[in-house]
Amino acid sequence: MVTESVDKNNFVRRARIEDVDAIHHILDMEPFKYDENLPYDRSWLVQLVENERCITLVYESEGMIKGFISGEKMVSGAVMIWFCAVKKEFQNSIIGIKLYLEFEKICRVEGVTGILAYGYKTSAGMLKRLNFFTDGKMYQEFFKILKEE
């Protein structure tokens, strides 16, 4: 699939395996961090790029990955968005919106019936502008790292 091109130096495209390190480092910020380590296991991010059930796109500008979005197709026919993240210094620009709009376009082409997104409170405004809705109940994410004993 050809992705929307902003111009020849700024564009959204499918992520490739060589993008995994850049994606991993984008997640090295709040609200994704739980401690001082890089968040999330790199092997999981590889699956988000390589697994055919996943749709992972990057926003590339002047040879640099500035943001990405990733979701996984569920049995229901919907897609669960795992991440939509933009490097801190490029936030509050159009990058996140461009990533999402291209993601939605690809979902429609691939027959996806809905998109599920769990967002941090800081994401609520953007999700509402993109016509996501909520039942108004509070959602709070909990996370536990399991270590071998």
Side-chain angles (χ1 to χ4, degrees), residues 6 11 38-39 46 50 58 78 85 100 107 111 115 117 131 138 141 145:
V6 178
F11 53 91
L38 270 175
V46 168
E50 291 188 330
V58 296
Y100 175 77
C107 285
I115 299 174
N131 298 316
M138 293 296 293
E141 179 181 77
I145 297 173

Side-chain angles (χ1 to χ4, degrees), residues 44 48 53-56 69-84 100 103 107 112-119 132 139 141:
W44 184 51
L48 292 177
R53 286 191 348 249
C54 297
I55 300 169
T56 301
I69 187 169
S70 186
E72 183 175 354
K73 295 175 188 173
M74 300 184 299
V75 173
S76 66
V79 162
M80 165 75 167
I81 294 180
W82 285 110
F83 299 106
C84 185
Y100 175 77
F103 183 86
C107 285
V112 171
T113 58
I115 299 174
L116 176 64
Y118 288 99
F132 279 80
Y139 170 79
E141 179 181 77

Side-chain angles (χ1 to χ4, degrees), residues 66-127:
K66 294 183 176 178
F68 81 103
I69 187 169
S70 186
E72 183 175 354
K73 295 175 188 173
M74 300 184 299
V75 173
S76 66
V79 162
M80 165 75 167
I81 294 180
W82 285 110
F83 299 106
C84 185
V86 176
K87 282 185 170 188
K88 194 169 201 110
E89 61 268 31
F90 303 111
Q91 291 177 359
N92 299 313
S93 65
I94 60 167
I95 293 173
I97 298 293
K98 291 213 176 280
L99 281 163
Y100 175 77
L101 293 175
E102 186 65 19
F103 183 86
E104 185 176 297
K105 187 167 102 179
I106 290 170
C107 285
R108 289 178 190 279
V109 168
E110 293 189 11
V112 171
T113 58
I115 299 174
L116 176 64
Y118 288 99
Y120 293 96
K121 290 179 184 179
T122 56
S123 303
M126 183 180 84
L127 289 167

Side-chain angles (χ1 to χ4, degrees), residues 27-73:
L27 293 172
D28 192 21
M29 65 179 173
E30 295 293 334
F32 305 109
K33 289 182 75 76
Y34 294 99
D35 56 30
E36 291 306 311
N37 299 313
L38 270 175
Y40 304 100
D41 188 80
R42 188 181 185 284
S43 64
W44 184 51
L45 300 175
V46 168
Q47 285 301 307
L48 292 177
V49 172
E50 291 188 330
N51 192 305
E52 64 186 39
R53 286 191 348 249
C54 297
I55 300 169
T56 301
L57 308 175
V58 296
Y59 182 94
E60 184 175 338
S61 177
E62 299 171 342
M64 177 192 297
I65 305 297
K66 294 183 176 178
F68 81 103
I69 187 169
S70 186
E72 183 175 354
K73 295 175 188 173

